[in-house]
Amino acid sequence: MRTRKAVLSAVTGGAMVAGLLMAAAPPAAAASCPAKLTPVIDGASAGWTLRCSGNNLVFEGWVMDTRADGMIVQLRIVPGNGSGTRFVYARGKGHRVPFSYTFKGTKSAVAYLSLAFP
């Protein structure tokens, strides 16, 4: 009985470490407006456009879960001026989430598309 619990704990711990490794080095895309990007990773896809409106950046698009694996797709958007980080999440194969953000006082951003355990 004790051996079974130890094995289960080791397997669970390994899954947690794998999740941390996946989150530690997500693909990133840096861009200035105007730009259009469509990144794809195993289990997720996204598409967005960046356009400038005066001294503001309009960042809009979508994020989609492409695999039935129980993982959460996460898009983290960091504006060029470093303030107002935004997150977009999708979970469930085929679930597509639209978004639109306006960042004041910047014309660039970095976006990180990754998968995470719930």
Side-chain angles (χ1 to χ4, degrees), residues 1-106:
M1 192 74 147
R2 285 187 167 182
T3 304
R4 182 180 237 177
K5 286 183 182 178
V7 170
L8 180 57
S9 295
V11 170
T12 303
M16 290 170 63
V17 170
L20 292 174
L21 291 175
M22 289 177 73
S32 297
C33 58
K36 183 175 184 176
L37 298 163
T38 54
V40 175
I41 62 172
D42 189 25
S45 62
W48 59 74
T49 59
L50 285 75
R51 62 182 169 82
C52 289
S53 177
N55 196 31
N56 300 326
L57 172 69
V58 178
F59 195 117
E60 55 192 5
W62 53 269
V63 175
M64 187 166 80
D65 188 341
T66 61
R67 191 172 58 194
D69 57 6
M71 303 280 286
I72 296 172
V73 175
Q74 173 183 287
L75 178 66
R76 180 171 55 118
I77 305 165
V78 182
N81 60 9
S83 65
T85 298
R86 299 286 190 260
F87 292 88
V88 183
Y89 302 98
R91 183 175 181 190
K93 185 176 180 180
H95 186 218
R96 183 173 166 151
V97 178
F99 65 87
S100 180
Y101 297 112
T102 299
F103 298 102
K104 297 182 185 235
T106 189

